[in-house]
Amino acid sequence: MIPIEAASYFTAVKNELAHTTAQVVWHAHQANYAVVATILPDHVPWYHLFIELDGEWVVSQSSYSNWLPFYDTPEQKGVFVDIQPIAEQVRGGRVSYRGQVVESPVNANYLCTVMWDVEASTPEDQLSYLELLIEERWQECVVAWCPATAQQFAEAYLSYYRPQEKESKENNWWAVDMLSAYDRQERLKLVLIVIDYADLSRDERALGNLGAGPLEDLMSDWLLDRLEKMIPNNLKLKYALSMVRMDFEEESLQQRLMRLLK
């Protein structure tokens, strides 16, 4: 990507953002359109579409939406834009949108996706993060809705509960927040990934919060059916489950968990 200062639409961008504190993360150009992805201080993405009219670049629109419609065209098409923070070692990513797989570049620690000539997005249209390029090797993302590998997610979650500076703690909150996933299969998958990477000697707090948080929320026969064979030989899982508060669970479920933890 050329520096935005060298782009023909730089003056228009500079004027549009003059009274804001937005940081330019990515920009791209096609025909007489240019799209600029920025990030606001509260980490909210803000996207801008510019059009060249009679040799002058003017802003067509600015939006928090990922899809920006083209100006004055009969087709309901526009540009899809997405920027997501990623770990420092990531050099690129593969994403899927409406069945189309593209490789997205990285700039300023953001994975940047721009797809031209796409129809208006619907609530069902979701960008899926497939793989990340790390040290010349493509590694699978832990879930489709987050550009992070299993190791990156687990290390961020565990680091959050280890003694550290406040700023570092805030930077790892995203991993804790991921464990509020609506789908219980994905929540359990994430819990087990953390347990796999944890070290019981220094991660008691993190494991305890797994028990008092997502495992407690998931506690049911459904959960124990899936963990029953793992529990006897997994001390980290046992410790996390021992932190689950069972006071309001059915007696049969309480007894079942007690037997498994012996």
Side-chain angles (χ1 to χ4, degrees):
M1 180 184 74
I2 65 169
I4 194 168
E5 292 82 1
S8 58
Y9 42 86
F10 171 64
T11 301
V13 175
K14 183 179 178 182
N15 292 339
E16 177 69 10
L17 301 179
H19 302 294
T20 77
T21 53
Q23 172 195 352
V24 174
V25 174
W26 189 255
H27 66 103
H29 175 216
Q30 176 174 277
N32 63 328
Y33 285 100
V35 65
V36 178
T38 66
I39 196 81
L40 293 171
D42 52 359
H43 308 292
V44 174
W46 189 26
Y47 307 114
H48 315 271
L49 185 64
F50 295 82
I51 184 172
E52 187 180 22
L53 297 173
D54 299 325
E56 181 180 357
W57 285 96
V58 295
V59 62
S60 173
Q61 67 170 292
S62 295
S63 176
Y64 299 116
S65 170
N66 290 82
W67 184 80
L68 296 91
F70 289 151
Y71 171 82
D72 195 23
T73 57
E75 303 88 0
Q76 291 297 312
K77 289 190 176 182
V79 57
F80 177 86
V81 194
D82 181 77
I83 56 173
Q84 290 291 329
I86 41 80
E88 289 185 5
Q89 65 268 37
V90 178
R91 299 179 55 227
R94 287 188 179 128
V95 304
S96 173
Y97 183 72
R98 290 181 171 174
Q100 181 181 355
V101 177
V102 299
E103 291 193 8
S104 300
V106 168
N107 189 58
N109 291 336
Y110 283 88
L111 186 67
C112 311
T113 302
V114 175
M115 301 177 75
W116 297 95
D117 300 314
V118 297
E119 295 180 352
S121 301
T122 68
E124 291 73 31
D125 292 324
Q126 300 293 330
L127 185 70
S128 295
Y129 303 99
L130 306 178
E131 296 177 302
L132 299 178
L133 181 60
I134 303 172
E135 297 181 353
E136 310 299 329
R137 185 167 67 91
W138 287 100
Q139 299 184 35
E140 184 179 1
C141 290
V142 62
V143 288
W145 40 271
C146 180
T149 65
Q151 183 175 354
Q152 289 170 347
F153 158 70
E155 289 179 349
Y157 181 90
L158 294 169
S159 294
Y160 180 87
Y161 289 104
R162 292 170 183 164
Q164 56 193 294
E165 296 180 2
K166 181 180 178 181
E167 181 180 355
S168 179
K169 191 178 185 71
E170 291 176 350
N171 290 340
N172 290 318
W173 169 252
W174 63 270
V176 179
D177 191 46
M178 278 180 65
L179 280 164
S180 61
Y182 176 76
D183 184 90
R184 63 179 182 177
Q185 294 277 11
E186 286 197 334
R187 290 185 79 182
L188 180 55
K189 172 185 176 181
L190 294 172
V191 166
L192 293 176
I193 286 171
V194 172
I195 289 172
D196 186 46
Y197 280 91
D199 180 342
L200 187 55
S201 65
R202 64 170 180 165
D203 291 320
E204 286 188 9
R205 187 181 174 201
L207 291 168
N209 278 276
L210 281 182
L215 282 174
E216 186 170 309
D217 294 340
L218 291 169
M219 182 50 61
S220 59
D221 284 310
W222 174 89
L223 176 68
L224 297 184
D225 286 345
R226 281 147 185 80
L227 298 182
E228 192 166 14
K229 293 182 179 178
M230 304 180 198
I231 294 173
N233 301 312
N234 193 321
L235 292 178
K236 293 179 289 185
L237 177 57
K238 272 189 173 183
Y239 181 82
L241 286 169
S242 71
M243 296 295 109
V244 175
R245 290 163 293 195
M246 297 291 291
D247 300 1
F248 300 102
E249 301 293 347
E250 293 183 2
E251 182 67 24
S252 60
L253 190 61
Q254 294 185 40
Q255 293 299 324
R256 182 179 180 187
L257 179 59
M258 289 178 60
R259 289 194 299 271
L260 290 171
L261 292 179
K262 286 183 179 179

